[in-house]
Amino acid sequence: QVQLVESGGGSVQVGDSLRVSCATSGSMSGTTMGWFRQAPGKEREGVASMTEVSTSYADSVKERFTISKDNAKSTLYLQMNNLKPEDTAMYYCAAAYGVRTECRGGSCFPSLRVTDFDNWGQGTQVTVSS
């Protein structure tokens, strides 16, 4: 079972940028990797995910967040730009063995469903203040 350790969270101002990282204990090859977040009193939601060939984003973060990975460092990243107060949450890294996709309207993309992911990190807190 792969171990996931997030880092890089913090407190920032509206409009700032922040990059969170997820160090993995094994290869990310052939997996679906994702970032999720959970605000107090709310359900955990998918933010961004990626396979070897494609990425997907929640509508609320499109054009602001970018998911990427460095296979040599076994690290997943989430670059967050133009942060808003509603981005405040605990951010979790997750991994799924194999390719996990969702299909809507004839198009398929990496899954953002919590239930599709097998392994989870402990989370890193991101707080955005106005």
Side-chain angles (χ1 to χ4, degrees):
Q1 187 171 0
V2 65
Q3 302 297 315
L4 307 172
V5 180
E6 301 94 337
S7 63
S11 296
V12 297
Q13 300 293 311
V14 168
D16 283 352
S17 297
L18 194 65
R19 188 178 77 165
V20 291
S21 302
C22 173
T24 73
S25 62
S27 172
M28 294 183 287
S29 177
T31 64
T32 303
M33 300 295 297
W35 285 99
F36 294 76
R37 67 187 181 187
Q38 188 167 18
K42 295 188 176 181
E43 292 188 353
R44 192 169 297 189
E45 64 175 356
V47 174
S49 67
M50 68 182 301
T51 62
E52 297 294 339
V53 297
S54 62
T55 59
S56 64
Y57 298 92
D59 288 343
S60 59
V61 306
K62 280 180 180 176
E63 309 301 329
R64 299 190 299 123
F65 290 12
T66 303
I67 188 172
S68 64
K69 63 179 180 175
D70 185 331
N71 287 326
K73 296 181 178 180
S74 297
T75 301
L76 182 75
Y77 301 102
L78 183 68
Q79 176 67 43
M80 302 181 288
N81 298 328
N82 190 22
L83 283 160
K84 304 176 180 181
E86 52 264 41
D87 296 318
T88 295
M90 185 73 79
Y91 282 72
Y92 298 91
C93 171
Y97 297 112
V99 176
R100 307 290 180 95
T101 58
E102 297 181 58
C103 297
R104 296 177 199 161
S107 297
C108 296
F109 45 90
S111 176
L112 291 172
R113 290 187 294 237
V114 171
T115 52
D116 280 342
F117 287 78
D118 310 298
N119 297 288
W120 295 83
Q122 295 301 305
T124 185
Q125 178 68 37
V126 173
T127 303
V128 185
S129 302
S130 58

